[in-house]
Amino acid sequence: MSVRRDRRERMQHQREELRRLRQRMRQRGHELRRMGSRGQPEESRAAILHAAAIEFSEQGIAGARTDAIARQARVNKALLYYYFHDKEALYGAVLDDAFGRMRAAIFHALDSDLPAREKILAYVGTYFDFIASNQIYPKLMQREMMRARAGDSQHIERLVKNYFEPIYRRVSELLHQGIKEGTFRKVDPAHFVPSMIAMIVFYFSGAPVMRRVFGFDPLTQERIRERRAAVLDFISAALFRPCAGAGSGVHP
Amino acid sequence: MSVRRDRRERMQHQREELRRLRQRMRQRGHELRRMGSRGQPEESRAAILHAAAIEFSEQGIAGARTDAIARQARVNKALLYYYFHDKEALYGAVLDDAFGRMRAAIFHALDSDLPAREKILAYVGTYFDFIASNQIYPKLMQREMMRARAGDSQHIERLVKNYFEPIYRRVSELLHQGIKEGTFRKVDPAHFVPSMIAMIVFYFSGAPVMRRVFGFDPLTQERIRERRAAVLDFISAALFRPCAGAGSGVHP
DNA sequence: ATGATCTAACTAACTGGTTAATTAATCATG
DNA sequence: CATGATTAATTAACCAGTTAGTTAGATCAT
């Protein structure tokens, strides 16, 4: 009995708080479309997506709890199902959002008008920076890559078609171009591209373990800058024709 | 009713089959320790461990189903709890088994009496071969690395102490030695070692996606041999002093 | 008979998903 | 311009299926 009343009181209290919140927002001039009781459809959707991205990246689809996502998004669980049909679809939306941003960043670098040598460094650098400032992505990516088995993931096909394949094609072409020009060593894109991605992605997804192995945090600004240089150096050394140019243009 | 009888009949049939199996084994002279109803404690344990390794590597701890593990091991689910206290402990046992074998293989290479240049190639080659012939390990490893957050995984500390740290220390020393000798470029082990591991591990854990991107299976014997060469080439090019020796000793 | 090995059947808790109701902005109409 | 219908947004409470883990034995070499 008293529990029930407590709950109801809390509920009512929450309602009032929301009303005040809404008024403040209106005063601040937030654009208001059609409104529900809370009146923030876009904000709610975004909050769910953001909370879901974190939860999925940390726990995986199976480990992620829809309750936890809802709580983090400060939204009722049923709202997840209102906006995104089910858990799997929500996961799909998170992936599309993530890889969409990634593709945009990478294509920006690949569209630049640079010689092969500089362009591949721009690609690696951009990719690195993107991952570094969005550290849930490498986990999301590796989790999904590992799930791509038999009939497991319904998303892979789409992700490959929309994101991975187009990016791979462009980078592959770039490598061939550099090889033909004589700037690059004769490498096989089907091996070199995964190697580059591996070096960028693995460092961040493996950071928690590395912290314990090394005895220091590999994710400080300083260390990340260091890593960036190391990756570019590694790739330069492995890709560029040896004994040709002098400096490798590593330092951004 | 009929369902119940069917089940009982099947059960009885299974029992008889087991008895016959056991007799055959005794005739073949299998060493028999103390026996229970099935009389194969080691075999059962091993079967559970093996099934669990596969299930965990494919689904992760959260996604893994104990029922599925028991079914795969052809053993009753309760037996998992008889031998391994709970799901988490079973997972821990799988990890220890896996990383224990890995450490043994790698240490064998590192203990060899070779010059730095050849030894680092032996290390990479051995590691690669181990992963290539035990493709559940990279997934197990990456899954566990990603789990190493806050208070999440109870295993990381042990794994780092028993496996990762010792291996890292040895390889790190090897690199320093090569650098001092002048055989290697001046690389930072804290970046170079993860890069090597990344290239080896990522290829296998990412294979299902790459199959779709490339349009061919990256896990055929042929492709794996190719990959091996590519990794050794990549690392050689990035690590060895340029313009010094002639061949890189890549082909095993 | 005794203890190691093994199992069918069960349970308690969890979790994805549903439902019926509520709120408030907007729209239609007299 | 008031007001009742409509609709988007949102929630509390609930449900049904799943799953980790338990129990009360059964089997059998010694």
Side-chain angles (χ1 to χ4, degrees):
Chain A
M1 273 298 156
S2 70
V3 175
R4 260 202 131 72
R5 225 188 45 209
D6 273 12
R7 208 180 285 175
R8 185 160 302 181
E9 273 174 26
R10 221 182 311 141
M11 214 164 91
Q12 202 152 5
H13 182 264
Q14 218 169 5
R15 290 257 160 83
E16 282 169 31
E17 204 169 354
L18 277 172
R19 196 173 310 168
R20 264 178 275 131
L21 189 76
R22 201 167 337 104
Q23 282 201 339
R24 231 183 304 143
M25 290 214 135
R26 212 175 314 166
Q27 283 165 11
R28 280 215 229 116
H30 268 253
E31 22 105 32
L32 297 180
R33 290 146 241 265
R34 314 192 107 261
M35 277 195 181
S37 61
R38 186 161 154 197
Q40 315 186 33
E42 292 306 318
E43 283 83 349
S44 295
R45 234 192 95 102
I48 292 169
L49 215 53
H50 184 241
I54 293 171
E55 177 80 359
F56 282 131
S57 77
E58 284 179 357
Q59 314 288 340
I61 334 104
R65 296 291 157 242
T66 52
D67 280 314
I69 294 172
R71 195 169 356 101
Q72 276 287 332
R74 303 176 135 277
V75 143
N76 186 280
K77 185 168 60 134
L79 207 58
L80 310 196
Y81 296 89
Y82 177 69
Y83 284 120
F84 308 91
H85 176 68
D86 61 12
K87 196 190 189 186
E88 192 70 41
L90 173 56
Y91 181 62
V94 165
L95 293 175
D96 273 313
D97 185 63
F99 292 122
R101 291 174 200 269
M102 190 185 81
R103 185 187 57 188
I106 289 177
F107 264 57
H108 181 72
L110 289 175
D111 283 336
S112 68
D113 198 19
L114 292 166
R117 191 190 181 99
E118 279 68 32
K119 195 184 266 192
I120 197 81
L121 291 174
Y123 157 72
V124 173
T126 303
Y127 191 13
F128 185 95
D129 293 339
F130 180 82
I131 300 279
S133 54
N134 298 283
Q135 296 183 13
I136 54 172
Y137 293 60
K139 294 180 187 181
L140 233 37
M141 180 175 166
Q142 289 198 321
R143 282 239 158 71
E144 194 52 24
M145 287 184 101
M146 289 191 287
R147 220 161 77 98
R149 252 205 139 212
D152 273 5
S153 174
Q154 305 140 35
H155 308 295
I156 298 272
E157 215 143 337
R158 189 180 76 253
L159 295 175
V160 165
K161 190 181 162 196
N162 294 340
Y163 312 108
F164 295 116
E165 212 271 324
I167 294 173
Y168 173 72
R169 188 187 311 224
R170 290 289 301 271
V171 178
S172 186
E173 280 165 11
L174 176 57
L175 285 174
H176 278 125
Q177 184 199 325
I179 291 168
K180 206 166 62 182
E181 283 177 12
T183 326
F184 298 164
R185 293 172 61 232
K186 261 199 158 95
V187 297
D188 180 352
H191 290 294
F192 202 84
V193 172
S195 294
M196 290 193 292
I197 296 174
M199 280 197 301
I200 296 169
V201 161
F202 188 86
Y203 184 81
F204 291 97
S205 68
V209 167
M210 290 178 347
R211 201 189 65 228
R212 288 162 202 263
V213 173
F214 299 154
F216 58 77
D217 180 10
L219 295 181
T220 59
Q221 285 240 332
E222 175 61 22
R223 297 287 178 191
I224 290 178
R225 221 177 312 126
E226 221 176 271
R227 175 67 186 174
R228 202 186 127 105
V231 169
L232 286 166
D233 175 61
F234 198 119
I235 289 173
S236 299
L239 181 62
F240 298 154
R241 267 255 136 90
C243 311
S248 60
V250 160
H251 303 286
Chain B
M1 272 298 155
S2 71
V3 174
R4 260 199 132 72
R5 224 186 47 206
D6 272 11
R7 208 182 286 174
R8 186 158 302 182
E9 273 175 25
R10 221 182 311 142
M11 213 164 92
Q12 204 149 5
H13 181 264
Q14 217 167 6
R15 290 256 162 84
E16 282 170 30
E17 203 168 355
L18 277 171
R19 196 172 310 166
R20 262 178 275 130
L21 188 75
R22 200 167 341 110
Q23 282 200 340
R24 229 184 304 145
M25 291 210 138
R26 213 176 315 167
Q27 284 165 9
R28 280 216 228 116
H30 267 254
E31 22 105 33
L32 294 181
R33 291 145 242 266
R34 319 193 108 258
M35 278 196 179
S37 61
R38 187 161 150 196
Q40 317 186 33
E42 291 306 317
E43 282 83 349
S44 294
R45 236 192 94 102
I48 292 170
L49 215 52
H50 184 243
I54 293 170
E55 177 80 0
F56 282 131
S57 78
E58 284 178 358
Q59 314 287 341
I61 333 103
R65 297 293 157 238
T66 52
D67 279 318
I69 293 172
R71 193 170 358 102
Q72 276 288 333
R74 303 176 135 276
V75 141
N76 186 278
K77 183 165 64 127
L79 207 57
L80 311 196
Y81 295 90
Y82 177 69
Y83 284 120
F84 309 91
H85 176 68
D86 60 13
K87 195 190 189 186
E88 192 70 42
L90 174 57
Y91 182 62
V94 165
L95 292 175
D96 273 312
D97 185 63
F99 292 123
R101 291 173 200 269
M102 189 185 79
R103 184 186 59 186
I106 289 178
F107 264 56
H108 181 73
L110 290 175
D111 283 337
S112 68
D113 198 22
L114 292 167
R117 190 190 182 99
E118 278 69 32
K119 195 185 267 191
I120 198 81
L121 292 175
Y123 157 72
V124 173
T126 304
Y127 192 11
F128 185 94
D129 293 339
F130 180 82
I131 301 277
S133 54
N134 298 283
Q135 296 183 15
I136 55 172
Y137 293 61
K139 294 181 186 179
L140 232 37
M141 179 174 167
Q142 289 198 320
R143 282 241 157 73
E144 194 51 24
M145 287 183 103
M146 291 191 287
R147 220 161 78 97
R149 248 208 142 211
D152 272 6
S153 174
Q154 303 140 35
H155 309 295
I156 298 275
E157 215 144 336
R158 188 180 77 254
L159 296 176
V160 166
K161 191 181 160 196
N162 294 340
Y163 311 108
F164 296 116
E165 212 271 324
I167 294 173
Y168 173 72
R169 188 187 309 221
R170 290 289 302 271
V171 178
S172 185
E173 280 165 12
L174 175 57
L175 286 174
H176 277 125
Q177 184 200 325
I179 292 168
K180 207 166 60 181
E181 284 177 12
T183 327
F184 298 164
R185 292 173 62 233
K186 261 202 159 93
V187 297
D188 180 353
H191 289 295
F192 202 83
V193 172
S195 294
M196 289 193 293
I197 297 174
M199 280 197 302
I200 296 169
V201 162
F202 188 86
Y203 184 81
F204 291 97
S205 68
V209 168
M210 291 180 343
R211 201 190 65 226
R212 287 162 202 263
V213 174
F214 300 155
F216 58 77
D217 180 10
L219 295 182
T220 59
Q221 284 238 334
E222 175 62 21
R223 297 288 179 192
I224 289 179
R225 220 177 312 128
E226 220 176 273
R227 175 66 186 175
R228 202 187 128 104
V231 168
L232 286 167
D233 175 62
F234 198 120
I235 289 173
S236 299
L239 180 63
F240 298 154
R241 270 254 136 90
C243 313
S248 58
V250 159
H251 302 287

